[in-house]
Amino acid sequence: MNELIPYIVLFPLLGFAINGLFGWKYKTNPIAGVIATLAVTASFVVACMVFFNMVGATEEHRVLKVTVMDWISVGKVNVGISYLIDQLSIIFVLVITGVGALIHLYSMGYMKGDPGYARFFTYLNLFIVMMLQLVMADNYLLTFLGWEGVGLCSYLLIGFWYEEVKNGDAAKKAFIVNRIGDFGFLVAMGIMLVTFGTLNYQDVANGALSMGSSTAITAITMMLFLGCTGKSAQIPLFVWLPDAMAGPTPVSALIHAATMVTSGIYLVARSNILFALSPATLSVVAVVAICTALLAAMIGIFQNDIKKVLAYSTVSQLGYMFLGLGVGAFSAGVFHVLTHAFFKACLFLGSGAVIHAMHHEQDMQKMGGLKKYLPITYWTFLIATIAIAGIPPFAGFFSKDEILWKAFSQGSVLLWVLGALGALMTAFYMFRLVYLTFFGKERFDAHHHPPHEVGAAMYIPLIVLAALSILGGFLGVPEILGGGETLHRWLEPVLGAGEQLAAAHAGVHGEGMEIPLMAVSVGIAVVGILLATRYYKSKTTLAENERKIGGFYKIASNKFYVDKLYESAVVKPTFGLSNSFLYKIVDVKIIDGIVNGAAAVTGMLSGILRRLQNGLVQNYAMVIVIGIFALIGYILMF
Amino acid sequence: MTSLTNYLLVSAALFAIGAAGVFFRRNAIIIFMCVELMLNAVNLTLIAFSQFLGDHSGQVLVFFVMTVAAAEAAVGLAIVIAIYRNKASTEVDTLNLLKG
């Protein structure tokens, strides 16, 4: 099976190369999309073959390692382009290639006729390659390569329609905010090298285990988590994700909901032993996570841009995933990544279909009543919404509930209460979105250009993802409901050690509370839905009720002024410093001064020297003779 | 019999006169003649040494020098005439086209 693994990366790489080299020739011709989609589908097929082989193998034969080539070999440190396929990474590989293939297919419809059609698929294939590096790497450095690579692709795709300045700005924002996080990742690798002398995942984990809890491990995990807050949009680095919606909608679905943003969760899960050895970091993770989940949910309630709501919802759901990790329930976090990839990709693609139908209108205040025009989009969207709201037996219910239960049993009651509050808000804003978009009076001009249902390339992925949103949860039905916790047991060999370590620190309490808590959280979700129904289902004008709330509405709809705070605390001073000091003094005075000064000094010296060259032959002869005399004198004297 | 020293002294005097002329005269033709004078001073030295050492190669070398000097005179005169046609002067301190 090992020899198949490199092909998972190879196919999208080929797609990238072909479209990248020859894309300019076939411009808007659908061939670019076909190549890219086939490439990702091929890797999905290979990944499935590897996966089913793993399922068939005994447990100790489920970890596959392949070294493609040596990469960096300095002293004792040896880092290779080598892949580690185990129970954790194969899940991610399947999601990336599977959901990725669906989104590629969808993009063929969505991007049809775009002048950058081939360029789009080139970037998308490169993204898949990089994302696969990230999850398949057997060492931190190769993961970091993928980590930076997906950041690059995210940047390129957010700013895909670069003719508009605001798209370019959003791309820059995402890129710069992520650099701050990546700095943390780099520092973490530095400390790892100093402490363990290796970057290999298994060696680092073994080293950490033999070392026990220590300051170094806390420092490493804190810095890694800083990287994760950037990539996975947690407080304080979440501000880029909503702006990233400037990119084409399939990008939002693939990169900014289903795959890249979950790489922070992957990294923490992959480093579970390190994190479990540092209870302080775990607490930080849990606190940051729950704050992010709540803050983003509160902002999401009052957004009117359909994609912005989904973006804040993503931030909030990522918060849930980190909450799972933070309380030491690593597999619960990964489970939510999986289900979230299904329903959030479905939601984003659904919103893309809506935007497509509305001729690139994203403001929900100008939608309404789309249910009858877009039946397939409506039903798939509704299914995904129910899934994210946490209604059993849809996928989101099982994963979110597992996180909440672990937060209660291994964390604290407060974490559970806040998490449940977040669930209430999730159900509320998601159904607000559904009602505003698909129900009520039509707030657009239907005579001018009536909305139309999307083509097959676009609704097939919607249907598949909706089906997965229904069924995906059954991978992790808890034992108490008679389920086998399939996913949990599957991940046990990778995540079990960390989970046991973390649980040993935290202790488990609340025996017998699982069912009641489950009931409560379902009740909460229903309350959220009912509230949304009451306020939004048949409203013709939006936001009348919202403005009545007054102060809170103002704060939340302004995104808690976080962006403004960064604007005035970081961006403006940076610009000010750049302009007044770096530009006017360092650049103009110092650097230009040095350069121009060097030229002026040379000019002056040559002015003196040129007087020697007066063009008179006799002078030259005289100089030669004087030289000869000087030379003879020197020889005679010494 | 005139001693070697006398020849060498005459030669040195001729060379010095020639060199002074090259350095201090302005007229290109005079300078030119002074160069010839220096060459002849050297020729004299060559012959003197040749006689003193009983080696004839010095005298052979003198023929080469005279040949080259004759050729040089022909080329040099052509250059001086060309300069005169352009500048209507052979004063070397008005010719500073070589300056940087």
Side-chain angles (χ1 to χ4, degrees):
Chain A
M1 266 301 108
N2 282 10
E3 68 280 353
L4 278 179
I5 290 169
Y7 288 97
I8 300 177
V9 183
L10 195 68
F11 285 122
L13 192 63
L14 272 178
F16 161 69
I18 294 171
N19 282 335
L21 290 173
F22 307 112
W24 58 275
K25 267 187 185 160
Y26 37 78
K27 294 183 177 85
T28 58
N29 192 323
I31 189 77
V34 173
I35 292 171
T37 310
L38 282 181
V40 180
T41 313
S43 3
F44 178 63
V45 171
V46 177
C48 284
M49 285 160 70
V50 173
F51 174 70
F52 286 116
N53 225 287
M54 282 167 80
V55 172
T58 51
E59 199 179 295
E60 55 269 30
H61 290 106
R62 281 179 183 166
V63 179
L64 308 174
K65 287 180 202 166
V66 185
T67 301
V68 178
M69 59 180 186
D70 286 334
W71 184 22
I72 294 170
S73 200
V74 182
K76 278 186 287 178
V77 182
N78 207 330
V79 180
I81 305 279
S82 30
Y83 298 130
L84 166 70
I85 295 287
D86 63 3
Q87 291 88 338
L88 178 63
S89 46
I90 193 72
I91 297 283
F92 275 83
V93 169
L94 286 172
V95 170
I96 292 159
T97 53
V99 177
L102 288 173
I103 293 174
H104 272 70
L105 178 63
Y106 177 92
S107 306
M108 286 177 62
Y110 192 83
M111 300 302 288
K112 195 189 263 165
D114 192 284
Y117 190 80
R119 183 166 59 95
F120 180 81
F121 282 101
T122 310
Y123 292 162
L124 223 50
N125 266 186
L126 180 65
F127 170 77
I128 297 282
V129 174
M130 286 302 174
M131 192 66 206
L132 289 171
Q133 298 290 339
L134 200 164
V135 297
M136 284 164 68
D138 87 328
N139 58 67
Y140 284 93
L141 196 61
L142 190 57
T143 293
F144 188 69
L145 178 91
W147 185 273
E148 292 297 307
V150 292
L152 169 74
C153 293
S154 156
Y155 165 79
L156 291 171
L157 285 164
I158 294 169
F160 182 76
W161 288 315
Y162 53 81
E163 288 92 346
E164 274 189 57
V165 176
K166 74 170 176 53
N167 297 349
D169 285 344
K172 272 192 286 182
K173 188 173 181 181
F175 199 73
I176 293 167
V177 171
N178 266 298
R179 290 289 77 66
I180 301 169
D182 296 344
F183 163 77
F185 197 152
L186 272 175
V187 173
M189 282 197 292
I191 307 174
M192 253 179 243
L193 268 181
V194 173
T195 317
F196 305 114
T198 175
L199 290 173
N200 187 290
Y201 281 125
Q202 286 166 331
D203 296 344
V204 168
N206 291 339
L209 270 180
S210 60
M211 186 185 224
S213 298
S214 70
T215 329
I217 290 176
T218 305
I220 291 170
T221 49
M222 285 286 192
M223 282 294 147
L224 281 180
F225 182 60
L226 177 62
C228 298
T229 58
K231 198 60 84 198
S232 298
Q234 298 295 291
I235 291 172
L237 300 178
F238 69 96
V239 289
W240 66 272
L241 185 57
D243 284 39
M245 298 302 128
T249 307
V251 171
S252 311
L254 178 62
I255 301 183
H256 303 121
T259 55
M260 181 186 88
V261 290
T262 63
S263 52
I265 286 95
Y266 173 77
L267 188 68
V268 176
R270 180 53 85 196
S271 319
N272 62 80
I273 288 176
L274 291 169
F275 278 86
L277 283 171
S278 175
T281 313
L282 278 185
S283 314
V284 170
V285 173
V287 170
V288 167
I290 194 70
C291 291
T292 310
L294 286 177
L295 184 77
M298 279 190 276
I299 297 174
I301 291 177
F302 298 111
Q303 293 294 310
N304 288 327
D305 181 322
I306 184 167
K307 279 177 78 181
K308 286 271 167 84
V309 177
L310 293 175
Y312 280 106
S313 159
T314 305
V315 175
S316 171
Q317 296 302 309
L318 289 165
Y320 274 107
M321 296 172 205
F322 272 112
L323 179 63
L325 304 175
V327 296
F330 299 105
S331 62
V334 174
F335 184 25
H336 201 49
V337 167
L338 188 68
T339 58
H340 180 257
F342 298 149
F343 57 71
K344 190 53 72 62
C346 185
L347 287 171
F348 264 115
L349 296 185
S351 79
V354 169
I355 294 166
H356 197 74
M358 300 300 296
H359 305 275
H360 292 270
E361 176 60 61
Q362 302 195 7
D363 191 343
M364 292 189 291
Q365 296 177 88
K366 294 178 187 146
M367 293 178 184
L370 286 173
K371 191 174 137 188
K372 73 172 183 209
Y373 296 100
L374 309 170
I376 300 172
T377 310
Y378 165 68
W379 281 108
T380 51
F381 201 93
L382 186 68
I383 289 167
T385 306
I386 295 172
I388 192 175
I391 301 295
F394 290 63
F397 165 75
F398 293 107
S399 55
K400 192 192 285 183
D401 214 68
E402 189 176 337
I403 288 172
L404 287 178
W405 161 240
K406 297 284 181 185
F408 182 87
S409 63
Q410 288 172 31
S412 70
V413 180
L414 182 65
L415 282 180
W416 183 84
V417 171
L418 293 174
L421 189 62
L424 173 76
M425 288 193 281
T426 308
F428 181 75
Y429 67 67
M430 282 311 301
F431 271 86
R432 170 180 179 267
L433 176 67
V434 169
Y435 289 135
L436 287 176
T437 311
F438 294 102
F439 287 78
K441 205 172 148 230
E442 294 165 17
R443 292 182 295 272
F444 53 89
D445 185 3
H447 302 294
H448 195 52
H449 33 226
H452 53 92
E453 183 61 284
V454 292
M458 287 166 78
Y459 69 65
I460 290 170
L462 284 176
I463 292 169
V464 175
L465 286 168
L468 287 169
S469 305
I470 300 173
L471 302 171
F474 290 103
L475 280 171
V477 179
E479 271 171 41
I480 205 151
L481 292 182
E485 296 193 330
T486 320
L487 187 77
H488 186 79
R489 278 192 287 112
W490 171 256
L491 291 170
E492 170 76 27
V494 187
L495 303 176
E499 290 189 338
Q500 279 161 17
L501 268 174
H505 284 294
V508 179
H509 48 86
E511 291 293 325
M513 290 290 284
E514 195 170 351
I515 291 282
L517 288 178
M518 214 174 266
V520 171
S521 66
V522 174
I524 282 172
V526 171
V527 169
I529 295 168
L530 291 177
L531 278 174
T533 313
R534 168 153 161 31
Y535 286 112
Y536 294 102
K537 186 166 178 195
S538 51
K539 287 287 178 288
T540 49
T541 52
L542 168 69
E544 281 304 310
N545 297 317
E546 292 176 358
R547 292 209 179 89
K548 277 184 213 150
I549 307 170
F552 180 76
Y553 169 74
K554 196 158 175 284
I555 297 171
S557 63
N558 279 301
K559 306 167 198 167
F560 287 85
Y561 300 101
V562 177
D563 279 288
K564 294 239 169 67
L565 179 75
Y566 283 160
E567 178 85 23
S568 52
V570 182
V571 179
K572 282 215 179 108
T574 310
F575 271 104
L577 181 76
S578 306
N579 194 37
S580 63
F581 178 69
L582 293 176
Y583 167 53
K584 283 182 182 152
I585 296 182
V586 175
D587 190 30
V588 172
K589 296 249 164 77
I590 298 177
I591 295 177
D592 286 4
I594 290 170
V595 173
N596 292 339
V601 168
T602 313
M604 209 170 68
L605 285 174
S606 57
I608 296 167
L609 288 173
R610 69 187 285 188
R611 276 181 219 152
L612 291 174
Q613 301 202 350
N614 55 10
L616 296 172
V617 180
Q618 285 177 311
N619 265 44
Y620 295 167
M622 186 72 95
V623 170
I624 293 168
V625 169
I626 291 169
I628 290 169
F629 277 117
L631 201 63
I632 292 171
Y634 175 80
I635 292 167
L636 289 179
M637 294 235 298
F638 305 99
Chain B
M1 165 116 193
T2 324
S3 71
L4 177 66
T5 320
N6 292 1
Y7 286 108
L8 290 182
L9 280 173
V10 171
S11 169
L14 279 178
F15 190 91
I17 292 165
V22 170
F23 292 147
F24 303 120
R25 296 303 293 259
R26 298 286 150 90
N27 190 311
I29 296 182
I30 305 275
I31 291 171
F32 210 55
M33 280 155 54
C34 289
V35 171
E36 299 294 323
L37 203 57
M38 284 158 74
L39 287 172
N40 280 328
V42 173
N43 282 348
L44 188 59
T45 319
L46 279 169
I47 292 170
F49 277 118
S50 166
Q51 184 70 26
F52 177 71
L53 295 170
D55 179 352
H56 298 285
S57 57
Q59 298 191 20
V60 174
L61 210 55
V62 168
F63 281 107
F64 281 109
V65 173
M66 290 198 315
T67 316
V68 171
E72 184 216 313
V75 175
L77 212 58
I79 293 174
V80 170
I81 290 167
I83 289 171
Y84 183 77
R85 281 193 184 147
N86 277 311
K87 292 257 176 180
S89 155
T90 52
E91 298 289 298
V92 285
D93 53 359
T94 62
L95 302 173
N96 57 356
L97 291 175
L98 284 176
K99 80 174 170 194

